[in-house]
Amino acid sequence: MMAEEIIVYLQREGASRGRTTGPSSPSRQRALAGTCPDPSLDSSPEHREYRARGRPRMKTVIVVHGGAWAIPDMLAEASMAGVKNAAWAGDAVLKNGGSAIDAVEKAVRSLEDDPSFDAGHGAVLNIDGEVELDSIIMDGETLATGAVASVRNIANPVSLARAVMEKTDHVMLTDRGASMFAERIGIPIADDLVTELERKDWEQSSSFPVGVEKFFNTQWGHDTVGAVALDSLGNVACATSTGGIRNKMVGRVGDSPIIGSGGYADNRSGAVSCTGHGESILKVTLARLILFHMEQGKSATAAAEASLQYMGERVKGCGGAIVVSSTGDWAASFTTPCMAWASIKEDVLHCGLNPKEDFTERLK
Ligand code: ASP
């Protein structure tokens, strides 16, 4: 496919549709100026449609998680409600013909806004009693990625990560630079991310090792959130967002915003979002490891289970992952006591929280 063909197509089909195709869209500006370095990597809706011509339409899939840990009974109901709401939100995007990247952003924003989860509003606090948030978003068609780490006062880090992906030449911004960028593009400052519950938990807990031990094996922690999706054009995407682990050192960054660890998406295999002990996930690059197993022929479930088992044996880490393959095979697996998850495919919602749990609801 030549750059000239795409420019002609954009001009003929009306390139002003869609959120990334306005005058400020770097991809559109580059394409119209004929300077897109590689048109096959352009992520604007017009290019996606163009590339998908002739391909069969796929049955869409969304899978979300609300973190892998020992979820206490008092939070079980809210966690299940939160993941179901997020799955519905993502599914609505896909049903309206939206992209996988839009669906995962929407689902994760819903989880970030829900104080039951350790992301955005309700995130856990670092050793100094402050919120520091990490997030990643990745587009499996183009491998475009955006991430932010150690950001404060941003209610929806996943959307800031998406802005890094779409509006900068970089993959990740941290702390002060991320805040300056957020201000420049008009993302509002949020001063109310610390909840009363988190403030109290922080006052009672003492150190990161204690936090880690309790986080995954007792009823103390909170939970990272994530989503993976397959859209009707056959594109996959992932997003992950977290406040990290309670009592972490100031500036500690876990796996969540790190490409290949907390998430990865590639149309050639699938998309993954991880949760669990970040230092362990980083050591085994869990998201890429799962996709590697799928590339070798394993199903989504077998790949997730083999990789989590490897992480347990190799570095003694527990965690969980949600997966969707580019053919629509999906999985939600974990080695922690619980993980709240939900998926929607072909109007059937599946969800669970305890091991081997799989409730189903027909949506219409
Ligand atoms: N993986 C996250 C981190 O280590 C925590 C979690 O998934 O619950 O920052």
Side-chain angles (χ1 to χ4, degrees):
M1 182 165 42
M2 302 295 292
E4 295 73 26
E5 279 182 82
I6 290 172
I7 293 162
V8 169
Y9 173 78
L10 284 170
Q11 287 164 344
R12 199 181 57 232
E13 301 282 317
S16 59
R17 291 182 288 125
R19 60 186 293 181
T20 59
T21 57
S24 61
S25 160
S27 63
R28 182 174 177 233
Q29 283 169 359
R30 283 196 212 105
L32 289 175
T35 56
C36 184
D38 180 352
S40 68
L41 296 181
D42 195 296
S43 64
S44 64
E46 288 72 25
H47 284 76
R48 284 175 190 279
E49 282 286 348
Y50 182 85
R51 285 194 293 270
R53 281 182 164 189
R55 272 198 247 148
R57 288 295 184 260
M58 299 296 294
K59 295 201 162 93
T60 63
V61 184
I62 178 98
V63 192
V64 307
H65 72 76
W69 62 295
I71 301 170
D73 290 345
M74 63 178 259
L75 273 181
E77 210 178 301
S79 300
M80 288 306 291
V83 290
K84 281 159 79 170
N85 284 338
W88 284 324
D91 182 55
V93 172
L94 296 170
K95 279 218 181 78
N96 287 328
S99 65
I101 201 90
D102 282 343
V104 295
E105 183 188 6
K106 183 88 180 180
V108 166
R109 280 183 69 100
S110 142
L111 293 159
E112 286 173 338
D113 291 343
D114 185 335
S116 327
F117 300 104
D118 172 23
H121 189 65
V124 300
L125 307 183
N126 67 17
I127 195 87
D128 282 358
E130 303 157 334
V131 160
E132 284 185 296
L133 306 169
D134 305 330
S135 183
I136 189 169
I137 191 163
M138 185 164 185
D139 179 338
E141 189 195 13
T142 60
L143 304 190
T145 311
V148 290
S150 298
V151 296
R152 301 148 201 260
N153 303 329
I154 300 289
N156 295 109
V158 71
S159 295
L160 184 56
R162 184 166 179 171
V164 171
M165 176 175 94
E166 291 180 342
K167 297 182 198 296
T168 79
D169 292 324
H170 305 305
V171 164
M172 180 188 276
L173 292 178
T174 67
D175 196 1
R176 194 174 69 94
S179 298
M180 283 162 55
F181 174 61
E183 199 183 329
R184 180 147 59 79
I185 61 171
I187 291 186
I189 294 294
D191 293 322
D192 57 348
L193 300 179
V194 180
T195 59
E196 207 31 50
L197 182 69
E198 282 311 319
R199 173 71 61 200
K200 280 203 187 115
D201 275 358
W202 173 75
E203 278 162 8
Q204 283 165 17
S205 52
S206 50
S207 69
F208 177 74
V210 172
V212 170
E213 202 179 297
K214 289 184 169 176
F215 188 62
F216 297 104
N217 302 314
T218 75
Q219 302 185 343
W220 259 78
H222 268 283
D223 22 12
T224 291
V225 303
V228 294
L230 168 68
D231 67 28
S232 62
L233 299 183
N235 297 317
V236 296
C238 72
T240 306
S241 185
T242 191
I245 292 177
R246 174 171 289 113
N247 281 318
K248 62 187 181 181
M249 286 173 70
V250 175
R252 176 265 187 188
V253 177
D255 61 296
S256 304
I258 306 298
I259 187 168
S261 289
Y264 201 81
D266 184 350
N267 277 8
R268 295 184 184 189
S269 45
V272 178
S273 169
C274 296
T275 168
H277 183 227
E279 282 70 9
S280 300
I281 294 172
L282 283 162
K283 288 172 191 163
V284 301
T285 55
L286 185 61
R288 258 313 292 163
L289 182 62
I290 292 171
L291 292 176
F292 166 78
H293 282 302
M294 287 164 66
E295 286 157 7
Q296 304 305 304
K298 280 195 164 55
S299 69
T301 302
E305 285 177 354
S307 304
L308 286 165
Q309 192 185 334
Y310 175 78
M311 185 168 88
E313 286 164 7
R314 192 72 178 88
V315 293
K316 306 213 174 339
C318 294
I322 50 170
V323 186
V324 68
S325 79
S326 38
T327 56
D329 177 28
W330 63 270
S333 303
F334 51 98
T335 49
T336 47
C338 308
M339 181 176 85
W341 62 272
S343 75
I344 300 178
K345 181 180 180 182
E346 295 184 71
D347 284 321
V348 179
L349 179 137
H350 291 257
C351 60
L353 185 126
N354 296 302
K356 309 266 179 249
E357 218 162 58
D358 184 354
F359 301 111
T360 58
E361 284 172 37
R362 187 155 285 282
L363 299 183
K364 60 177 186 189

